[in-house]
Amino acid sequence: MEYFTCISLKEAKQLLMNALAGRIVASEPVSLDEAFERIAAEDIVSKEDLPPFSRSTVDGFAVRSADTFGASEGVPALFDIVSEVAMGQETCVQLQPGQAVTIPTGGMLPAGADAVVMLEHAERPDNNSLLVLKAAAPGENVVLKGEDISKGHCILRQGQQILPQDIGALAACGFEKVPVRRKPNVAIISTGDELVNVACTPVNGQVRDINSYALAAMLAEAGCLVRRYGIVQDQYEELRTAVSQAILQSDLVVISGGSSVGARDHTVKVIQELGNQDVLFHGMAVKPGKPTIFGMIGKVPVFGLPGHPVAAMTVCGQIVKPAVQALLGQKSGNVYTIPARLTRNMASVPGRDDFIRVRLVKKANEYRAEPILGKSGLISTMAMADGIVHIPADKGGLYSEEIVQVNLITKP
Amino acid sequence: MEYFTCISLKEAKQLLMNALAGRIVASEPVSLDEAFERIAAEDIVSKEDLPPFSRSTVDGFAVRSADTFGASEGVPALFDIVSEVAMGQETCVQLQPGQAVTIPTGGMLPAGADAVVMLEHAERPDNNSLLVLKAAAPGENVVLKGEDISKGHCILRQGQQILPQDIGALAACGFEKVPVRRKPNVAIISTGDELVNVACTPVNGQVRDINSYALAAMLAEAGCLVRRYGIVQDQYEELRTAVSQAILQSDLVVISGGSSVGARDHTVKVIQELGNQDVLFHGMAVKPGKPTIFGMIGKVPVFGLPGHPVAAMTVCGQIVKPAVQALLGQKSGNVYTIPARLTRNMASVPGRDDFIRVRLVKKANEYRAEPILGKSGLISTMAMADGIVHIPADKGGLYSEEIVQVNLITKP
């Protein structure tokens, strides 16, 4: 299977998105304590003004700012202190010209007041009098009603991932429950006669099942409930039985491929027979990741991933994660990358999307991206990497000293 | 409390690290399925070579590379096919000069072979004969024994966070269980007479408890098991009772502060009395985040955070998260930031560390960082931000068009 017989990554993504259009999983309400990192199922709109009243941001004296204009240390403005606002209590004072009330940080501004004079800009000759030593501007040391979040403001967009600061905004507006997308159930089936469980010591050419663990972690991170279905042999009937069961319990199925041509043929045949239609693609012009298979079995997207760990993880990031986002109705949002200077030429092939692993090294004021060479069968090359650089299909390679954009695979 | 009475962020971090030295939480073994994002409690060293045998990376013919030297389409090299290696099975063939064996991708190389000829570079005139049309270099299409991970190689360093690619490497080397640090138990106590539960409609100057939810999400993300202790009033006895209980059940306690001076005084007094020593600091030259309190009660670090949500979240990121990392023995690793061009001058005060919220906007080939102005009481200014820019204490501000480093608070 040469690259020219494969479809491009762009075409593959388009076929995938078409197949998944309208297949967003159901929503469920969760408590605010459980909403972190979930995907909003609706626009969440504030039903009230925040703050619901104008309040002071300092300890001081609420005044009508106009009464302070012209005040200075030499010529202070004189006020009558007519009341005291206590924290957490409403005030029914209506401030008249020349009047002030003491107010704590967070206290509710009385009607008529539009500024708060800080303690250090005032003197209090007696309990009922106040000398203001500095003019206060309208709105000074005050948060106005609705200044933080106004009634009708959209706090959270449908499809947005909920972060700590969003949790804060939801709490502020009184949302105890939040409608989020149910976590997609994902089945991972490993195939390959050479595979043995992690607990086993491989003998006679066997290797341990790496991919189902690494892919499970990637898909859990993407917001899925992942179930590993264990290892099935490279036999058509066994794979068909496992996939039949998996599609009943899952929103998405990943077959972590045997590397052999036979295993791939079984995957294609199972998808065709159970799905009652041809696979949507079989082979992408992507390195690593060429032997990727995708088809639908009823409503369930089924992926056949390459057997080599680096290829499997690359395709999971490029193809399976976007499918999960589509199921979640997740807005992909901005993808932030780290600019870095490439340390050597990297050849590619026009018409093929290449993904190279790089180590990031900070040098002076910039990062240098050192490509990690090595076969896609070597998990260590992935474990050593800090990020991935994409060489798009329309480029024949990248030059040493060129600035490239690095997609982090470590935590920022 | 003016900034010059406060200690610097750097001093605060130093006091914190000194107080937490040697207080790493215990380790616990978890299964590989649960190890994702946890912190390794030990160096994990491979006990074996990976792969444990030299194997083919393609479907083809294992040969002695020397026998192919000089081969071309015009002058092919002739081989006897003496055997077939099946996937997942050992081979006991000892390859002699002029001999080849068929081998699948992943198949075990027979003794004597050092390269594999791809199907497309060979012709097979009959079942027992092979014509090789292109010379193969030693090691071509082969992964050598131990080439991926060699016996004795450190797969994971103590204190390293476990990512999907590390899960892959652990699976490859047969680690079913991984020793990780126990998740620290964190208590969050909200104080403030003005606070009401999220479920309540605030009346009379009340506000909802934002901070305990937002901080809980931040600390869960940092790897903690968080328990919110609810709201206590600004009364010394009530706070003392809540803190007494929390320190028995927690590795770290956060008191999300009432904004009033009285509430801060109570926090200081509770730490002093229960801890039987003075607080370690009370006030940092940080904006927002000045009224931050830290002390130890026995072995338990206790933080009093500012009441304003943006200040509380900023201090949580700058001070509490590093404390959690210290408890986890976590290597802080690289902090990756996004370079961006600042869109306006931002004044600061020398001697004070400022943290400003910014929105990132991609323009041409670079990001522009637009400061979000607004008081630290406004949670919306945090919810709108994509990242935080640090103005260090030795700078008086940042200039418009300057390149700044943005710490993301969204997902990359």
Side-chain angles (χ1 to χ4, degrees):
Chain A
M1 183 171 52
E2 286 302 305
Y3 284 109
F4 57 79
T5 68
C6 300
I7 66 168
S8 72
L9 181 61
K10 197 177 156 191
E11 288 171 292
K13 285 188 175 178
Q14 197 53 60
L15 285 170
L16 185 62
M17 289 307 137
N18 293 347
L20 295 180
R23 299 218 184 278
I24 299 180
V25 296
S27 80
E28 63 185 12
V30 295
S31 75
L32 198 50
D33 276 318
E34 300 167 310
F36 177 51
E37 294 188 323
R38 302 295 295 269
I39 308 301
E42 303 169 11
D43 285 356
I44 311 285
V45 172
S46 178
K47 299 192 185 82
E48 49 191 79
D49 281 318
L50 187 76
F53 53 87
S54 297
R55 71 175 182 221
S56 177
T57 61
V58 296
D59 294 333
F61 305 92
V63 296
R64 300 156 55 105
S65 60
D67 298 350
T68 69
F69 293 170
S72 67
E73 303 223 351
V75 190
L78 178 66
F79 288 81
D80 292 332
I81 297 180
V82 294
S83 179
E84 185 168 346
V85 175
M87 177 63 90
Q89 293 185 352
E90 193 163 18
T91 174
C92 48
V93 170
Q94 166 73 45
L95 216 62
Q96 302 300 324
Q99 293 186 339
V101 302
T102 58
I103 191 165
T105 303
M108 180 176 181
L109 226 61
D114 68 345
V116 175
V117 175
M118 293 175 78
L119 295 178
E120 44 265 58
H121 299 141
E123 278 172 12
R124 205 164 167 177
D126 60 61
N127 252 347
N128 300 320
S129 309
L130 180 74
L131 295 173
V132 171
L133 310 175
K134 196 181 164 203
E140 190 165 320
N141 299 322
V142 166
V143 177
L144 296 173
K145 177 182 176 179
E147 184 178 341
D148 193 352
I149 297 174
S150 58
K151 188 175 171 178
H153 175 78
C154 186
I155 312 167
L156 212 63
R157 293 272 167 209
Q158 182 180 326
Q160 190 179 333
Q161 190 175 32
I162 301 173
L163 300 174
Q165 52 270 34
D166 303 313
I167 300 266
L170 289 164
C173 295
F175 290 93
E176 245 196 309
K177 295 252 172 202
V178 195
V180 299
R181 293 291 160 199
R182 175 172 72 68
K183 291 190 165 207
N185 292 303
V186 170
I188 300 180
I189 300 167
S190 291
T191 68
D193 289 342
E194 77 279 26
L195 294 184
V196 294
N197 274 318
V198 167
C200 298
T201 300
V203 290
N204 304 340
Q206 297 170 328
V207 291
R208 294 196 186 89
D209 172 23
I210 297 178
N211 292 356
S212 74
Y213 286 90
L215 296 173
M218 286 184 81
L219 293 169
E221 191 174 34
C224 302
L225 290 174
V226 182
R227 183 171 160 197
R228 293 187 304 101
Y229 276 64
I231 299 165
V232 305
Q233 298 295 302
D234 280 345
Q235 288 167 12
Y236 175 71
E237 283 304 330
E238 218 178 305
L239 184 62
R240 184 188 163 114
T241 304
V243 174
S244 306
Q245 195 194 342
I247 56 170
L248 297 178
Q249 303 168 328
S250 315
D251 300 297
L252 187 150
V253 174
V254 171
I255 302 168
S256 171
S259 354
S260 75
V261 175
R264 290 202 294 271
D265 292 346
H266 293 325
T267 299
V268 169
K269 196 172 157 206
V270 166
I271 296 174
Q272 283 171 337
E273 297 220 345
L274 294 177
N276 210 11
Q277 59 176 345
D278 204 3
V279 295
L280 286 164
F281 56 84
H282 178 188
M284 297 192 304
V286 169
K287 185 181 177 186
K290 189 170 62 163
T292 298
I293 299 161
F294 171 66
M296 298 290 289
I297 300 180
K299 296 179 175 177
V300 181
V302 180
F303 294 85
L305 297 196
H308 284 159
V310 178
M313 292 183 76
T314 302
V315 173
C316 184
Q318 291 301 317
I319 290 285
V320 187
K321 276 196 174 183
V324 169
Q325 290 189 331
L327 292 177
L328 284 166
Q330 184 175 358
K331 301 270 184 298
S332 45
N334 290 318
V335 176
Y336 296 104
T337 52
I338 306 284
R341 199 173 290 280
L342 198 65
T343 59
R344 50 170 287 167
N345 292 333
M346 289 302 296
S348 177
V349 171
R352 184 181 80 191
D353 284 87
D354 275 25
F355 294 91
I356 57 176
R357 290 138 273 161
V358 298
R359 212 185 270 108
L360 283 173
V361 180
K362 192 136 199 178
K363 203 171 166 185
N365 254 333
E366 64 176 22
Y367 287 106
R368 299 181 69 81
E370 298 177 347
I372 298 172
L373 308 175
K375 296 149 184 149
S376 71
L378 306 187
I379 182 70
S380 59
T381 62
M382 200 77 174
M384 284 188 296
D386 298 309
I388 305 282
V389 172
H390 180 192
I391 310 180
D394 60 6
K395 279 202 156 183
L398 297 172
Y399 291 103
S400 180
E401 299 299 314
E402 191 173 339
I403 297 289
V404 295
Q405 298 298 323
V406 180
N407 291 280
L408 287 179
I409 59 168
T410 54
K411 306 266 173 178
Chain B
M1 182 169 53
E2 286 302 307
Y3 284 110
F4 57 79
T5 68
C6 300
I7 64 167
S8 71
L9 181 62
K10 196 177 156 191
E11 288 170 292
K13 285 188 177 179
Q14 197 54 59
L15 285 170
L16 186 63
M17 289 307 137
N18 292 346
L20 294 179
R23 300 221 182 278
I24 299 180
V25 296
S27 79
E28 62 184 12
V30 295
S31 74
L32 197 50
D33 277 317
E34 301 167 309
F36 176 50
E37 293 187 323
R38 301 296 295 269
I39 308 301
E42 302 169 11
D43 285 356
I44 311 285
V45 172
S46 178
K47 299 192 186 83
E48 48 191 79
D49 281 319
L50 186 75
F53 53 86
S54 297
R55 71 173 180 222
S56 176
T57 61
V58 296
D59 295 331
F61 305 92
V63 295
R64 301 157 54 107
S65 60
D67 296 351
T68 70
F69 292 170
S72 68
E73 303 221 352
V75 190
L78 178 67
F79 288 83
D80 291 331
I81 298 180
V82 293
S83 179
E84 184 167 347
V85 175
M87 177 63 90
Q89 290 184 355
E90 193 164 18
T91 173
C92 48
V93 170
Q94 166 73 48
L95 216 62
Q96 302 299 324
Q99 293 184 338
V101 301
T102 59
I103 191 166
T105 304
M108 180 177 181
L109 226 62
D114 68 346
V116 174
V117 175
M118 293 175 78
L119 295 177
E120 45 265 59
H121 298 143
E123 277 171 12
R124 203 164 167 177
D126 60 61
N127 254 347
N128 300 321
S129 309
L130 179 75
L131 293 172
V132 171
L133 311 175
K134 197 181 164 204
E140 190 164 320
N141 299 321
V142 166
V143 178
L144 296 173
K145 177 182 175 179
E147 185 179 341
D148 192 352
I149 297 174
S150 57
K151 188 174 170 176
H153 175 78
C154 186
I155 312 167
L156 212 61
R157 293 271 166 210
Q158 183 181 327
Q160 191 180 334
Q161 190 176 31
I162 301 174
L163 300 174
Q165 52 271 33
D166 304 312
I167 299 266
L170 289 164
C173 295
F175 290 94
E176 246 196 309
K177 296 251 173 204
V178 194
V180 299
R181 292 290 160 199
R182 175 172 72 68
K183 291 189 166 209
N185 293 303
V186 171
I188 300 181
I189 299 168
S190 291
T191 69
D193 289 341
E194 77 279 26
L195 294 185
V196 294
N197 274 317
V198 167
C200 297
T201 301
V203 290
N204 305 340
Q206 297 171 328
V207 291
R208 294 195 186 89
D209 171 25
I210 298 178
N211 292 356
S212 73
Y213 287 90
L215 297 173
M218 286 183 82
L219 293 169
E221 191 174 33
C224 303
L225 290 174
V226 183
R227 182 170 160 197
R228 293 187 305 103
Y229 276 63
I231 300 165
V232 304
Q233 298 296 301
D234 279 345
Q235 287 167 12
Y236 174 70
E237 283 304 329
E238 218 178 304
L239 184 62
R240 185 189 162 114
T241 303
V243 174
S244 306
Q245 195 193 341
I247 55 170
L248 296 178
Q249 301 168 328
S250 315
D251 300 298
L252 186 151
V253 174
V254 171
I255 302 168
S256 170
S259 355
S260 75
V261 174
R264 291 203 293 272
D265 292 345
H266 293 326
T267 298
V268 169
K269 197 171 156 206
V270 165
I271 295 173
Q272 283 171 339
E273 296 222 344
L274 294 178
N276 211 10
Q277 60 176 347
D278 204 3
V279 295
L280 287 164
F281 57 84
H282 178 189
M284 298 192 302
V286 169
K287 185 183 177 186
K290 189 171 61 165
T292 298
I293 298 160
F294 172 67
M296 298 291 290
I297 300 180
K299 296 180 176 177
V300 181
V302 181
F303 294 86
L305 297 195
H308 283 159
V310 178
M313 293 182 76
T314 302
V315 174
C316 184
Q318 290 302 318
I319 291 284
V320 187
K321 277 195 174 183
V324 169
Q325 291 188 333
L327 292 177
L328 284 166
Q330 185 175 357
K331 300 268 186 299
S332 46
N334 291 318
V335 177
Y336 296 104
T337 51
I338 306 285
R341 198 174 290 279
L342 198 63
T343 60
R344 49 169 289 164
N345 292 333
M346 289 302 295
S348 178
V349 171
R352 184 181 81 193
D353 285 86
D354 276 25
F355 294 92
I356 57 176
R357 290 138 274 160
V358 298
R359 212 185 269 109
L360 284 172
V361 179
K362 192 138 199 177
K363 203 170 165 186
N365 253 333
E366 65 177 21
Y367 286 106
R368 297 180 72 79
E370 299 177 349
I372 297 172
L373 307 174
K375 296 151 184 147
S376 70
L378 307 186
I379 181 71
S380 59
T381 62
M382 199 76 175
M384 285 188 296
D386 298 311
I388 305 281
V389 172
H390 180 191
I391 310 180
D394 60 6
K395 279 204 158 182
L398 298 172
Y399 290 104
S400 180
E401 301 299 314
E402 192 173 335
I403 297 290
V404 295
Q405 298 298 323
V406 180
N407 290 280
L408 287 179
I409 60 168
T410 54
K411 305 266 173 177

